[in-house]
């Protein structure tokens, strides 16, 4: 079973659900994704769109095979690149969360060795150790999902996923009682403040055990407002941020058709020091604030029955068939983008991913969404096309 989930983790990077095309931006409902522009990144490898600077003057990509960050301008022209895969004093170690732009000339990222700030040439500006030593961790990466930069009282802060173990694990009640999803990082004082617990009424306090991917945070920030959803819990929580922490304002139950329920797991399954991720379960995968809208990316999940069938096939030794059937099951997963009005939190519509775009996710910046086009399956290509997209009313 562990082998199957390991494969499913990597499958998130490679499986596409639709045939690529430059068409298909018309959608149902009162909203639509409207393509405004596009750019091509002409580079060999397997680049993933990481983020877009607020000015839209810089785009960041990460190439998994070379473990290299690549930075371009709005036209797709490469302006700089760097890699820290060697054992150097300023290497961040295993990448734990995609970076965010602090400006057009600096990024911040989280690795196993700490939180780092680099310029776009790879020169280290700041290194901050994690509040606790990271022994083991598991992460799923999606385009445009990573750290956030914000300002509070004219000071610069980061929001990043918390990796504290607090000397406990998901088999113990104290893990759930002491859990915090995020770290608010004061860049000036290099101080970490853990925020966002499992709030009262959260399903993660119900006595069951949960995998790391079940409660992995998706979050976005605008001004002092923090928008958070935890994994397969279809609730949006809105907090007000201050240097002292985060106070809960509102909880919204998200009405998402086809959004499944997390499987029930006994706490006896978990052991101290181990981390397991499931890529098949329902999850809110990302949140973006875009031009007065909250764009909430969701994945409805594959049923437990189907996953049990796939597990049996995998354990029988027919790994190729299990992979093929998993790819087919992915095509039937209900996934898309729920749109809420940022000011009122009222439902505005649900959008499907445009045909031929990467359903793993997208980035946002400058009031736009930035989507990867899937490569042509029939013709070999040596570039990655990025669409600049807006959410438009019909």
């Amino acid at each position: 079973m562990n082998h199957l989930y390991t494969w499913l983790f990597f499958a998130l990077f490679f499986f596409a659900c639709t045939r690529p095309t430059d068409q298909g931006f018309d959608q149902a409902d009162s909203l639509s994704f409207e393509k405004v522009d596009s750019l091509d990144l002409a580079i060999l490898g397997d680049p993933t769109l990481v983020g877009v600077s607020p000015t839209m003057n810089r785009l960041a990509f990460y190439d998994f095979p070379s473990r290299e960050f690549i930075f371009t301008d709005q036209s797709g022209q490469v302006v700089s690149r760097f890699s820290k895969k060697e054992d150097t004093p300023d290497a961040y170690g295993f990448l734990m969360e995609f970076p965010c732009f602090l400006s057009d000339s600096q990024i911040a990222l989280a690795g196993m060795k700490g939180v780092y700030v680099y310029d776009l040439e790879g020169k280290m500006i700041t290194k901050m150790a994690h509040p606790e030593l990271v022994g083991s961790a598991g992460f799923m990466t999606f385009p445009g999902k990573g750290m956030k930069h914000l300002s509070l009282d004219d000071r610069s802060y980061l929001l990043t996923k918390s990796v504290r173990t607090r000397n406990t694990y998901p088999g113990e009640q104290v893990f759930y009682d002491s859990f915090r999803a995020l770290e608010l990082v004061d860049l000036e004082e290099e101080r970490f403040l853990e925020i966002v617990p499992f709030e009262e009424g959260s399903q993660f306090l119900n006595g069951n055990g949960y995998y790391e991917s079940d409660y992995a945070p998706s979050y976005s920030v605008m001004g002092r407002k923090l928008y958070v959803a935890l994994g397969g819990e279809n609730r949006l929580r809105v907090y007000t941020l201050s240097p002292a922490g985060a106070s809960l304002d509102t909880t919204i139950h998200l009405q998402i058709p086809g959004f499944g329920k997390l499987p029930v797991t006994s706490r006896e399954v978990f052991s101290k020091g181990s981390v397991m991720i499931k890529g098949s379960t329902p999850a809110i995968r990302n949140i973006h604030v875009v031009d007065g809208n909250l764009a909430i990316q969701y994945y409805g999940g594959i049923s437990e029955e189907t996953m049990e069938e796939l597990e049996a096939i995998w354990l029988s030794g027919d790994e190729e068939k299990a992979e093929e059937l998993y790819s087919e099951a992915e095509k039937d997963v209900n996934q898309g983008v729920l749109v809420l009005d940022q000011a009122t939190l009222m439902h505005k519509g649900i959008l499907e991913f445009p045909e031929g775009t990467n359903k793993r996710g997208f980035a946002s910046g400058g009031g736009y969404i930035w989507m990867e086009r899937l490569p042509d399956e029939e013709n070999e290509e040596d570039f990655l096309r990025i669409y600049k997209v807006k959410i438009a009313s019909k």
Side-chain angles (χ1 to χ4, degrees):
M1 186 64 175
N2 288 351
H3 294 297
L4 176 60
Y5 284 132
T6 298
W7 174 78
L8 293 180
F9 172 80
F10 288 108
L12 289 169
F13 297 117
F14 300 114
F15 281 127
C17 301
T18 53
R19 292 180 60 81
T21 174
D22 285 4
Q23 309 301 319
F25 274 79
D26 291 331
Q27 303 294 324
D29 233 329
S30 60
L31 300 175
S32 67
F33 284 127
E34 181 178 318
K35 183 172 65 175
V36 176
D37 202 353
S38 66
L39 64 89
D40 291 345
L41 173 65
I43 189 168
L44 295 174
D46 183 29
T48 291
L49 178 62
V50 172
V52 181
S53 71
T55 65
M56 300 184 292
N57 288 327
R58 292 291 180 267
L59 285 79
F61 298 84
Y62 183 69
D63 182 61
F64 284 96
S66 66
R67 288 185 282 173
E68 185 176 43
F69 289 101
I70 303 161
F71 303 94
T72 76
D73 60 19
Q74 284 197 57
S75 70
Q77 183 69 35
V78 175
V79 296
S80 60
R81 55 204 304 170
F82 72 83
S83 175
K84 296 293 180 181
K85 63 183 179 182
E86 303 299 332
D87 188 18
T88 58
D90 63 347
Y92 52 80
F94 176 72
L95 183 64
M96 293 168 56
E97 195 164 14
F98 277 153
C100 65
F101 281 96
L102 300 183
S103 66
D104 284 346
S105 60
Q106 292 186 357
I107 62 162
L109 61 82
M112 288 286 280
K113 294 183 179 180
V115 174
Y116 288 72
V117 176
Y118 298 98
D119 67 18
L120 301 194
E121 304 295 334
K123 178 183 177 182
M124 189 182 76
I125 309 299
T126 304
K127 173 186 176 181
M128 295 170 282
H130 291 297
E132 294 182 7
L133 181 66
V134 181
S136 60
F139 305 93
M140 291 189 294
T141 56
F142 301 99
K145 180 170 183 173
M147 304 172 72
K148 303 292 186 266
H149 178 232
L150 66 149
S151 178
L152 296 172
D153 297 344
D154 298 322
R155 291 172 66 132
S156 191
Y157 288 82
L158 291 172
L159 275 170
T160 185
K161 177 181 171 182
S162 179
V163 293
R164 305 191 201 201
T165 64
R166 305 168 193 87
N167 196 33
T168 184
Y169 71 105
E172 300 177 329
Q173 181 62 42
V174 65
F175 172 86
Y176 301 93
D177 292 338
S178 62
F179 173 85
R180 298 294 183 272
L182 301 174
E183 302 281 353
L184 180 64
V185 185
D186 185 326
L187 284 171
E188 183 177 324
E189 294 188 358
E190 300 186 4
R191 179 174 61 93
F192 289 69
L193 178 65
E194 53 181 353
I195 60 174
V196 183
F198 292 136
E199 300 287 356
E200 183 179 352
S202 170
Q203 71 183 79
F204 300 116
L205 298 172
N206 64 8
N208 295 320
Y210 290 94
Y211 294 97
E212 196 275 343
S213 50
D214 291 341
Y215 48 80
S218 294
Y219 58 98
S220 192
V221 63
M222 178 61 68
R224 288 181 175 268
K225 293 299 179 183
L226 170 64
Y227 306 92
V228 182
L230 300 179
E233 188 172 56
N234 57 340
R235 286 176 172 82
L236 174 72
R237 302 193 193 273
V238 184
Y239 295 83
T240 296
L241 290 171
S242 74
S247 59
L248 180 63
D249 294 339
T250 308
T251 298
I252 303 294
H253 181 75
L254 301 175
Q255 301 293 332
I256 305 175
F259 194 83
K261 293 184 178 181
L262 290 173
V264 175
T265 305
S266 169
R267 290 186 180 176
E268 296 176 356
V269 170
F270 300 93
S271 59
K272 204 163 190 175
S274 66
V275 176
M276 184 172 288
I277 287 176
K278 290 185 176 183
S280 62
T281 50
I284 304 298
R285 287 190 165 171
N286 211 348
I287 301 175
H288 296 269
V289 180
V290 184
D291 193 26
N293 298 297
L294 293 178
I296 301 173
Q297 179 197 348
Y298 65 88
Y299 177 89
I302 300 175
S303 71
E304 289 183 75
E305 293 78 11
T306 298
M307 290 305 299
E308 288 172 357
E309 293 173 4
L310 289 173
E311 176 191 355
I313 295 171
W314 180 275
L315 294 176
S316 73
D318 196 345
E319 298 176 5
E320 184 176 346
K321 183 178 180 181
E323 294 173 6
E324 180 182 342
L325 291 176
Y326 179 78
S327 180
E328 289 298 316
E330 275 270 278
K331 295 179 181 180
D332 297 327
V333 173
N334 188 324
Q335 52 186 316
V337 181
L338 173 66
V339 182
L340 304 182
D341 183 274
Q342 181 194 351
T344 65
L345 302 179
M346 297 296 292
H347 176 96
K348 295 181 68 173
I350 291 179
L351 294 174
E352 296 179 1
F353 279 82
E355 185 178 356
T357 59
N358 190 341
K359 290 187 177 182
R360 286 196 297 118
F362 49 84
S364 61
Y368 294 90
I369 283 172
W370 304 75
M371 292 183 167
E372 297 180 0
R373 190 202 70 160
L374 291 174
D376 192 325
E377 293 179 345
E378 299 179 357
N379 300 296
E380 186 175 353
E381 298 176 335
D382 59 358
F383 66 91
L384 173 65
R385 178 161 295 162
I386 303 297
Y387 294 124
K388 180 181 178 182
V389 179
K390 70 177 181 179
I391 298 175
S393 298
K394 288 188 175 181

